């Protein structure tokens, strides 16, 4: 596709740039090209550079994975310096270069963002989350997985200003405790998906409050939450009729006595029932699958 665009510049075939930029080229042609190719295309000529800058200024979605995680700081700033209409921003695993200095201007001028992905962006600070909460009132989905800089104060700011949140990933945000999670779910009762995985500070109090405040909850990840016990899982079963999946692997205090309630409702669990686990173990030991009717 890039080669065809470049060939169209030849005088004998006319010029692609003669087509209306904002009506044809930007919304109907350039949107089908990968971002990496667009960046190459702008080196063809000054006219193409202007066209690509116009496209970047009107781009609704930016995903750093289309270029690669090691984007030069100046290149990132230049790509989004004129954009005020972003709706989706994905900057996962950009810990080598992304800091508050690069991110805050983008957040500050884009008030229509409804999806933000910052997984593994370790060099940011709590100021980034505060900026998101103040600038993005329509935010629906936010991933902060493995962002250990997230603290209770910045999460409270998010909860106070982004009440339309439907999906939040707080995996391995190890500063957060039950109190912070409780405040979030009390303010953001529309949550459908929540991950609290890999956080030893999260326990029954947070899970029970989540269950009682978020009746629309469909997906909950508690992987590795060692303080979660059976009582909160029973509360979850009672208050969340729309729950579709629950992850409790490595939650050693959660037993089948509480999970069976959810299992009987068809909720997808990431741990097998005890009998099934025993049969798998037996198969590994003796080398064959025993003929046992599992429909009991």
């Amino acid at each position: 596709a890039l080669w065809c665009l470049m060939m169209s510049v030849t005088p004998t075939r006319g010029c692609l740039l003669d087509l209306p930029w904002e009506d044809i080229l930007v919304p109907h042609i350039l949107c089908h090209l990968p971002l990496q190719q667009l960046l190459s295309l702008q080196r063809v000529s000054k006219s193409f550079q202007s066209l690509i800058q116009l496209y970047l200024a009107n781009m609704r979605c930016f995903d750093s994975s289309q270029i690669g995680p090691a984007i030069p700081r100046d290149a990132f700033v230049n790509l989004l310096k004129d954009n005020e209409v972003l709706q989706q921003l994905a900057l996962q695993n950009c810990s080598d270069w992304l800091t508050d200095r690069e991110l805050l201007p983008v957040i500050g001028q884009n008030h229509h963002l409804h999806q933000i992905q910052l997984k593994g962006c370790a060099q940011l600070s709590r100021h980034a989350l505060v900026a998101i909460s103040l600038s993005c009132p329509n935010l629906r989905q936010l991933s902060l997985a493995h962002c250990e800089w997230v603290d209770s104060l910045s999460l409270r700011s998010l909860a106070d200003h982004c009440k339309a949140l439907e999906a939040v990933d707080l995996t391995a945000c190890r500063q957060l405790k039950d109190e912070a999670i409780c405040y979030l779910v009390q303010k953001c009762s529309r949550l459908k998906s929540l991950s609290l995985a890999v956080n030893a500070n999260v326990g029954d109090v947070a899970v029970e409050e989540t269950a009682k405040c978020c009746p629309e909850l469909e997906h909950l990840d508690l992987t590795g939450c060692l303080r979660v016990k059976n009582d909160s899982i029973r509360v979850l079963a009672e208050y969340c009729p729309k729950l579709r999946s629950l992850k409790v692997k490595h939650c050693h205090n959660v037993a089948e006595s509480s999970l069976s309630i959810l299992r009987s409702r068809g909720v997808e669990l990431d741990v097998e029932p005890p009998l099934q686990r025993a049969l798998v173990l037996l198969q590994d030991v003796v080398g064959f699958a025993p003929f046992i009717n599992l429909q009991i």
Side-chain angles (χ1 to χ4, degrees), residues 22-285:
E22 296 189 15
D23 296 332
I24 301 296
L25 294 182
V26 170
H28 298 294
I29 296 180
L30 297 186
C31 63
H32 296 292
L33 293 179
L35 188 56
Q36 186 66 56
Q37 290 190 1
L38 290 173
L39 300 182
S40 300
L41 186 60
Q42 68 178 342
R43 294 196 293 267
V44 172
S45 68
K46 290 184 177 180
S47 295
F48 268 105
Q49 182 180 19
S50 298
L51 172 61
I52 300 307
Q53 286 297 324
L54 176 64
Y55 172 81
L56 293 173
N58 290 275
M59 187 167 49
R60 298 296 197 273
C61 175
F62 180 85
D63 187 345
S64 63
S65 65
Q66 294 184 12
I67 304 174
I71 306 173
R73 286 184 171 90
D74 293 340
F76 172 76
V77 172
N78 185 62
L79 284 173
L80 296 179
K81 63 183 176 64
D82 298 321
N83 193 305
E84 298 180 359
V85 294
L86 274 180
Q87 296 179 2
Q88 302 177 38
L89 178 63
L91 297 170
Q92 60 270 24
N93 300 316
C94 295
S95 58
D96 291 338
W97 60 272
L98 184 66
T99 67
D100 291 355
R101 182 177 180 180
E102 292 78 40
L103 180 64
L104 264 58
V106 176
I107 296 298
Q109 67 190 31
N110 283 281
H111 304 293
H112 303 288
L113 281 164
H114 58 77
Q115 293 184 26
I116 299 179
Q117 163 70 266
L118 296 176
K119 177 182 178 181
C121 294
Q123 291 195 58
L124 298 175
S125 76
R126 60 185 302 271
H127 301 294
L129 186 52
V130 173
I132 290 172
S133 66
L134 296 177
S135 298
C136 308
N138 300 314
L139 195 62
R140 298 288 190 277
Q141 301 179 25
L142 176 63
S143 175
L144 299 169
H146 302 281
C147 294
E148 297 195 18
W149 44 266
V150 177
D151 60 11
S152 58
L153 289 177
S154 57
L155 194 69
R156 287 175 71 95
S157 179
L158 178 73
D160 285 335
H161 296 93
C162 299
K163 295 182 174 62
L165 279 167
E166 296 180 354
V168 179
D169 189 345
L170 298 173
T171 299
C173 293
R174 293 186 175 90
Q175 289 195 60
L176 301 178
K177 299 181 180 180
D178 282 346
E179 181 182 3
I181 303 303
C182 289
Y183 192 87
L184 173 69
V185 297
Q186 288 166 3
K187 296 287 185 176
C188 302
S189 59
R190 301 182 190 178
L191 281 176
K192 296 181 179 179
S193 177
L194 177 64
S195 175
L196 304 173
V198 198
N199 192 332
N201 294 318
V202 170
D204 284 342
V205 174
V207 176
E208 291 180 15
E209 193 67 14
T210 299
K212 293 175 181 178
C213 294
C214 302
E216 302 297 317
L217 192 67
E218 297 179 0
H219 307 283
L220 180 61
D221 190 346
L222 300 173
T223 304
C225 294
L226 303 179
R227 294 176 55 231
V228 173
K229 301 180 179 66
N230 284 323
D231 289 345
S232 62
I233 301 301
R234 293 190 181 96
V235 173
L236 193 67
E238 180 181 356
Y239 284 90
C240 296
K242 297 184 179 181
L243 193 67
R244 294 167 54 192
S245 70
L246 174 66
K247 295 183 178 181
V248 289
K249 189 172 288 187
H250 307 302
C251 294
H252 304 304
N253 294 313
V254 175
E256 184 63 22
S257 59
S258 61
L259 294 177
S260 60
I261 305 171
L262 294 169
R263 203 184 299 278
S264 65
R265 281 176 20 197
V267 175
E268 180 182 346
L269 303 174
D270 63 342
V271 293
E272 297 173 335
L275 178 58
Q276 183 65 35
R277 289 200 298 270
L279 292 176
V280 171
L281 179 60
L282 179 61
Q283 180 179 352
D284 291 339
V285 172

